[in-house]
């Protein structure tokens, strides 16, 4: 009595196993040959590298500040303080990682200045916010009634609150790169309206801390090349 057989027929199954074994042998042989080729190419490139034939990219314009702690070694602090007193409004550019501008801020504080830190995002009209009584609408979140609160001028209010020993007020504007040209021009002219005020605006980023007179950046005076 013949028995029923399920699955792959024995003849086809044996042929399939032989094909799999052959393909595995060919793939292993190919991997061996490819490893030999890669090893040969790597040794060739490594020998070229040992001989010094590989092109090297070098950065020009390096100074001692690039090798010694940039946040500790600041020989230009005196120049920064003198430029703040001379121009009274400065556009500063700091590295992306942040922290370097704190050295300059602390030295201004040692000179007797008090600080008013404000972000340019959400500042509104700088003239209204800094020099006039201005309204502020708090978020009502869809539940509370819409209200309007009135605040005193930010700069004048803090000038009146300064102690007699204070040298002046430094308005430090964060993210000033989002301000328009007209708004930057007003910040550049603010020390002429309030003589005890100094303005420092963070207008962008650079590899190291650099600064320019804000009047040049805003277009009030032509940019002077160093």
């Amino acid at each position: 009595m013949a028995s029923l057989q399920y699955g792959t027929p024995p003849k086809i199954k044996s042929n399939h196993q032989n094909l799999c074994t052959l393909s595995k042998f060919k793939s292993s042989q190919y991997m061996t040959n490819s490893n030999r080729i890669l090893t040969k190419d790597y040794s060739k490139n490594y020998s070229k590298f040992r001989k010094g034939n590989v092109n090297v990219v070098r950065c020009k314009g390096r100074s001692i500040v690039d090798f010694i702690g940039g946040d500790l070694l600041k020989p230009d602090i005196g120049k920064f303080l003198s430029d703040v007193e001379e121009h009274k409004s400065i556009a500063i550019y700091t590295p992306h990682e942040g922290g370097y501008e704190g050295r300059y801020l602390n030295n201004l504080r040692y000179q007797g200045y008090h600080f008013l830190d404000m972000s340019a995002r959400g500042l509104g009209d700088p003239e209204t916010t800094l020099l006039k009584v201005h309204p502020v609408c708090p978020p009502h979140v869809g539940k509370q009634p819409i209200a309007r609160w009135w605040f005193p001028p930010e700069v004048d209010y803090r000038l009146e609150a300064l102690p007699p020993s204070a040298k002046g007020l430094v308005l430090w504007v964060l993210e000033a790169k989002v301000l328009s040209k007209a708004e930057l021009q007003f910040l550049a002219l603010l020390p002429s309206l309030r003589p005890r005020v100094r303005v420092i605006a963070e207008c962008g980023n650079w590899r190291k801390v650099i600064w320019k007179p804000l009047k040049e950046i805003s277009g009030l005076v032509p940019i002077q090349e160093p």
Side-chain angles (χ1 to χ4, degrees), residues 162-221:
L162 286 179
S165 60
K167 189 174 182 179
L169 179 70
V170 174
L171 174 63
W172 196 290
V173 184
L174 307 174
E175 300 178 303
K177 57 186 177 182
V178 303
L179 296 178
S180 64
K181 189 174 182 179
E183 292 170 339
L184 289 176
Q185 289 177 353
F186 170 77
L187 292 178
L189 296 175
L190 181 59
S192 61
L193 302 176
R194 301 293 186 271
R196 298 187 65 189
V197 175
R198 304 291 180 265
V199 177
I200 299 177
E202 295 185 7
C203 294
N205 300 100
W206 195 246
R207 289 177 54 196
K208 59 181 181 179
V209 178
I210 59 174
W211 60 87
K212 287 276 189 180
L214 191 55
K215 291 182 178 180
E216 295 183 9
I217 301 301
S218 60
L220 290 175
V221 297

Side-chain angles (χ1 to χ4, degrees), residues 73-87:
L73 182 63
K74 287 301 175 191
D76 56 352
I77 291 262
K79 180 71 167 55
F80 176 77
L81 297 177
S82 62
D83 285 347
V84 170
E85 295 297 336
E86 178 183 357
H87 302 289

Side-chain angles (χ1 to χ4, degrees), residues 84-122:
V84 170
E85 295 297 336
E86 178 183 357
H87 302 289
K88 297 181 175 57
S89 56
I90 296 292
I92 190 171
Y93 299 83
T94 58
H96 288 274
E97 58 269 21
Y100 294 90
E101 61 273 15
R103 301 285 175 175
Y104 300 90
L105 185 147
N106 287 335
N107 278 270
L108 282 173
R109 182 178 286 115
Y110 299 154
Q111 300 295 321
Y113 283 103
H114 288 237
F115 280 82
L116 170 60
D117 298 333
M118 300 192 71
S119 176
R121 299 185 185 274

Side-chain angles (χ1 to χ4, degrees), residues 119-138:
S119 176
R121 299 185 185 274
L123 181 62
D125 179 28
E127 182 180 3
T128 303
T129 304
L130 300 177
L131 301 182
K132 298 179 181 179
V133 177
H134 56 281
V136 175
C137 295

Side-chain angles (χ1 to χ4, degrees), residues 136-176:
V136 175
C137 295
H140 55 84
V141 204
K143 298 180 180 180
Q144 291 83 13
I146 298 177
R148 176 177 291 182
W149 298 345
W150 296 87
F151 285 82
E154 298 291 345
V155 170
D156 293 339
Y157 174 74
R158 284 167 175 80
L159 282 176
E160 295 176 359
L162 286 179
S165 60
K167 189 174 182 179
L169 179 70
V170 174
L171 174 63
W172 196 290
V173 184
L174 307 174
E175 300 178 303

